[in-house]
Amino acid sequence: MNEKLKITLKGSVNILPLLIPVVPFGIILGAIGMELGFSVLETFATSFIIFGGASQIVFLQLLSGGASQIIAVSSAFVVNSRHFLYGATFSEYLNKLPMGWKIILSYLLTDQAFAVSNTYFRANENNRLKHYYLLGSGFTLWSIWQISTLLGIFLGSIVPDELGLAYTIPLTFIALLVNYFRKIDHLIVILVSGILSLVLFNAPLKSYIILSSLTALFVGFLIIKFKKGNNS
């Protein structure tokens, strides 16, 4: 078997266990888009262009709530800002690739693709074809996400409004946050962000998400600096 294809398939197979929660999340997202009044094209476009579940939900919810396009885009950007860290981590492995490859892999880089690819890159640092692993894992997740979103769009168009799918928005975010409740510093950042979002809810242009998130990030930065100071 061609080495490039072999590595690509290996990435595709290794990411499959991490896709189990992706399917219902994508279905929920598609259904929520229809519940909030967006068209099929608009809902699916978020999966194709933004390609990030949490940021897509924020984007759709803010637009449906009357926020400006600038605030909606900026909030989605803040939610996805963690990908800068992923890119910085992979830069040492992929810095010699052509720009075209970097653009494609940046688009396909998600939480799950980063998790499996980071392990593979560390173990195969000298393999000049290692980027095909990220291509396989990222493209597999991308394909499943698009299909799941389309399923959700179809289901959302036939599910009665009385079921109130919009309530799955806060439930989805609570599910994403559960794992972070285990550490006190994470809990502090979550509480700061949550409390400030309530206090600043009436901020102009629906900017409360950005303001509360940036403030919470700054608090997290101070906590890290404090912990490093005590350990030195």
Side-chain angles (χ1 to χ4, degrees):
M1 182 185 295
N2 183 282
E3 185 67 17
K4 295 178 181 178
L5 180 59
K6 182 178 179 181
I7 296 175
T8 302
L9 291 177
K10 185 176 181 64
S12 297
V13 171
N14 288 352
I15 201 174
L16 289 179
L18 299 181
L19 299 186
I20 295 175
V22 169
V23 174
F25 193 9
I27 293 174
I28 289 174
L29 174 80
I32 286 175
M34 303 305 294
E35 173 80 5
L36 294 177
F38 293 94
S39 69
V40 171
L41 180 59
E42 289 169 338
T43 302
F44 182 70
T46 62
S47 282
F48 190 84
I49 298 173
I50 301 176
F51 185 36
S55 54
Q56 287 176 239
I57 290 180
V58 169
F59 181 78
L60 292 174
Q61 187 180 29
L62 285 175
L63 283 183
S64 66
S68 67
Q69 295 177 357
I70 294 177
I71 293 299
V73 172
S74 301
S75 299
F77 177 83
V78 170
V79 173
N80 271 351
S81 60
R82 67 189 183 281
H83 289 82
F84 284 117
L85 299 177
Y86 298 161
T89 300
F90 280 175
S91 63
E92 63 175 301
Y93 301 113
L94 308 175
N95 61 339
K96 295 182 180 180
L97 289 178
M99 182 57 66
W101 265 109
K102 291 180 180 179
I103 293 174
I104 293 173
L105 295 179
S106 296
Y107 173 67
L108 295 175
L109 183 57
T110 59
D111 298 332
Q112 295 86 348
F114 172 81
V116 295
S117 297
N118 191 38
T119 301
Y120 182 83
F121 286 174
R122 288 180 178 179
N124 300 272
E125 185 174 353
N126 296 322
N127 188 338
R128 62 183 182 84
L129 300 177
K130 58 183 174 293
H131 55 285
Y132 281 91
Y133 186 95
L134 176 55
L135 176 66
S137 58
F139 182 74
T140 300
L141 189 148
W142 180 87
S143 301
I144 296 299
W145 182 252
Q146 307 308 319
I147 294 172
S148 300
T149 301
L150 287 174
L151 286 174
I153 290 172
F154 172 74
L155 294 175
S157 63
I158 61 176
V159 172
D161 293 338
E162 290 76 11
L163 290 182
L165 288 175
Y167 285 106
T168 59
I169 294 176
L171 293 178
T172 300
F173 279 114
I174 290 174
L176 292 173
L177 289 173
V178 166
N179 287 333
Y180 295 101
F181 291 160
R182 300 174 182 176
K183 293 186 178 181
I184 185 64
D185 50 348
H186 292 171
L187 188 58
I188 291 174
V189 172
I190 291 172
L191 288 175
V192 169
S193 179
I195 293 173
L196 284 178
S197 66
L198 295 176
V199 173
L200 302 173
F201 185 76
N202 293 319
L205 302 176
K206 298 286 185 177
S207 59
Y208 65 96
I209 288 184
I210 294 178
L211 295 175
S212 59
S213 298
L214 291 178
T215 304
L217 287 173
F218 179 70
V219 170
F221 170 76
L222 293 179
I223 292 175
I224 293 174
K225 293 286 288 185
F226 178 77
K227 291 174 68 175
K228 286 185 176 179
N230 287 343
N231 294 332
S232 61

